[in-house]
Amino acid sequence: MRVRSWLASTCATNSTPESTFSFSNNQSQPPKRLASDTSSSSNSTPSTTSTATSSVSLQSNLSLQTLPSVPSLQKITPETLNVSSLCVNSLKPQQNHLPITCLVVQDNLLYAASSHEINVYDRTNLSLVDSFNDKDSSLGSVKSVSFCDGKIFTAHQDCKIRAWKISSTTKHHKLVTVLPTLNDRLRRFVLPKNYVNVRRHKKVLWIKHADAVTGLAVNDNNGLIYSVSWDKSLKIWRASDLQCLESIKAHEDAVNAVAVSVDGMVYTGSADCRIRVWGKPLNEKRHVLVATLEKHKSAVNALALNDDGSVLFSGACDRSILVWEREDSANHMVVTGALRGHNKAILTLINVSDLLLSGSADRTVRIWKEGHDGKYICLSVLDGHRKPVKTLAAVRENDNDVVSVFSGTLDGEIKKWQLSVSPCSQDIAKMNL
């Protein structure tokens, strides 16, 4: 089995032209202003660790120049905000130091995948609630965890997707089925046309992944689950009966990330340095390729969408986070700029309301916020991990100014951070005038 490492130093370096694509259901967005790229090499900004909320001015740090043809979207002038960040809890790695591969917050629970086991914690105090999948190491490491239709779905190294249910009384997790389901396999195994070549002299049913399943995304609006794999494919499953509806050869190399917008557009990021966009035209039965977005110079590791799906963020081994936006005037998506600051590969991205969080092989987490002028500021750099940050989860608390951030690393450590962001007092006074 061929594995493309997202930390490899041999990331592709070919430069590719910018691509655009059209949307029929465009959502109006204010035009974004771009600034010339004035970035230069600098050291990482230290994290704000004081518990007292104070008025601070953080100018986003500009790292080594990557993708110089892409302008910077970062604020050059400081923006004054009340920002505080603090590590409030930490789970040290066990003796085996197994990497944390996925963190997901669901209600009051934090799901943490580590190798073949999934630990479930109370997210408020990180006390252990349940562990499942831990008795069978042959299931392979867990790559992704997602939730749909009252079930928990996990993607595994052994090419399978598993569906679990949680008991309302005991809070224990029980395996429901494995995708593709037995019924789905029985429906198709007789007909030769349902088999595809995956390796020399090896055929499998097209509903099966032939390599590690690396990502899952769920669209609650249409009840579909999207899975991607190192076998270069994108598969689409119906949540109601767990039937595989489509299988698409999505890329020329391993697919590392998938994201889906509220309007059903699907984005896949690959080790072939490309992001591909998939859509289902009106009255059509299958998804089609809408566009190929080419700007990264190395493997794309992470994707994230803002709440309305009008902005796509992509992170890669080239250390930059690219921002792709739907523009009202041209009715298409283009790369509008880059966020620079990490000095090693971007491994994970998540969007929470108006905040973008990025985790990197440089062992830091950066918190980004978009201003009214379309520019981004790095609010804080969470520093303290000893190994690369592989996965992030976050949730906005009842106090809307407070965000709980969870970071997991390749040495098995989980940290919980408390982030508070609010307008400074003089800005609030102006708003009340």
Side-chain angles (χ1 to χ4, degrees), residues 5-49:
S5 171
W6 27 258
L7 285 175
S9 60
T10 57
C11 288
T13 56
N14 57 303
S15 178
T16 49
E18 173 183 334
S19 299
T20 64
F21 61 92
S22 298
F23 284 88
S24 58
N25 56 342
N26 177 65
Q27 302 177 14
S28 297
Q29 294 291 325
K32 307 292 183 180
R33 295 189 338 190
L34 301 180
S36 58
D37 184 7
T38 58
S39 61
S40 60
S41 300
S42 64
N43 295 325
S44 298
T45 304
S47 59
T48 309
T49 56

Side-chain angles (χ1 to χ4, degrees), residues 6-168:
W6 27 258
L7 285 175
S9 60
T10 57
C11 288
T13 56
N14 57 303
S15 178
T16 49
E18 173 183 334
S19 299
T20 64
F21 61 92
S22 298
F23 284 88
S24 58
N25 56 342
N26 177 65
Q27 302 177 14
S28 297
Q29 294 291 325
K32 307 292 183 180
R33 295 189 338 190
L34 301 180
S36 58
D37 184 7
T38 58
S39 61
S40 60
S41 300
S42 64
N43 295 325
S44 298
T45 304
S47 59
T48 309
T49 56
S50 173
T51 55
T53 304
S54 58
S55 179
V56 296
S57 297
L58 285 179
Q59 181 174 353
S60 51
N61 228 9
L62 305 177
S63 69
L64 301 172
Q65 295 215 22
T66 56
L67 301 177
S69 62
V70 182
S72 174
L73 269 180
Q74 291 158 251
K75 285 181 179 293
I76 305 303
T77 57
E79 179 173 308
T80 302
L81 287 170
N82 293 323
V83 181
S84 68
S85 57
L86 176 69
C87 180
V88 296
N89 208 338
S90 180
L91 288 178
K92 298 299 181 182
Q94 303 300 317
Q95 291 183 351
N96 48 18
H97 285 206
L98 296 174
I100 304 296
T101 54
C102 181
L103 291 175
V104 183
V105 171
Q106 179 72 355
D107 298 327
N108 199 44
L109 299 176
L110 173 68
Y111 287 74
S114 177
S115 184
H116 61 276
E117 67 182 8
I118 304 164
N119 293 315
V120 186
Y121 301 96
D122 184 314
R123 71 175 179 85
T124 57
N125 56 20
L126 294 187
S127 61
L128 186 65
V129 174
D130 189 25
S131 292
F132 62 103
N133 198 45
D134 57 346
K135 290 189 172 74
D136 190 356
S137 60
S138 65
L139 300 185
S141 65
V142 182
K143 302 293 185 180
S144 182
V145 179
S146 195
F147 303 85
C148 185
D149 198 29
K151 300 182 184 69
I152 302 99
F153 294 88
T154 55
H156 295 258
Q157 180 93 26
D158 67 354
C159 318
K160 293 182 175 64
I161 302 166
R162 289 175 171 81
W164 310 79
K165 274 250 185 183
I166 183 172
S167 169
S168 58

Side-chain angles (χ1 to χ4, degrees), residues 148 217-226 236-239 245-246 260 280 287:
C148 185
V218 169
N219 188 340
D220 291 322
N221 292 337
N222 58 20
L224 296 179
I225 303 167
Y226 306 85
I236 301 164
W237 313 78
R238 189 163 53 209
L245 303 178
E246 297 180 58
V260 59
K280 191 175 182 181
H287 287 72

Side-chain angles (χ1 to χ4, degrees), residues 352 355 394-397 400-405 417-420:
V352 180
L355 299 178
V395 61
R396 195 173 283 277
E397 302 292 355
N400 287 331
D401 290 337
V402 176
V403 177
S404 292
V405 179
W417 311 80
Q418 207 78 41
L419 179 72
S420 177

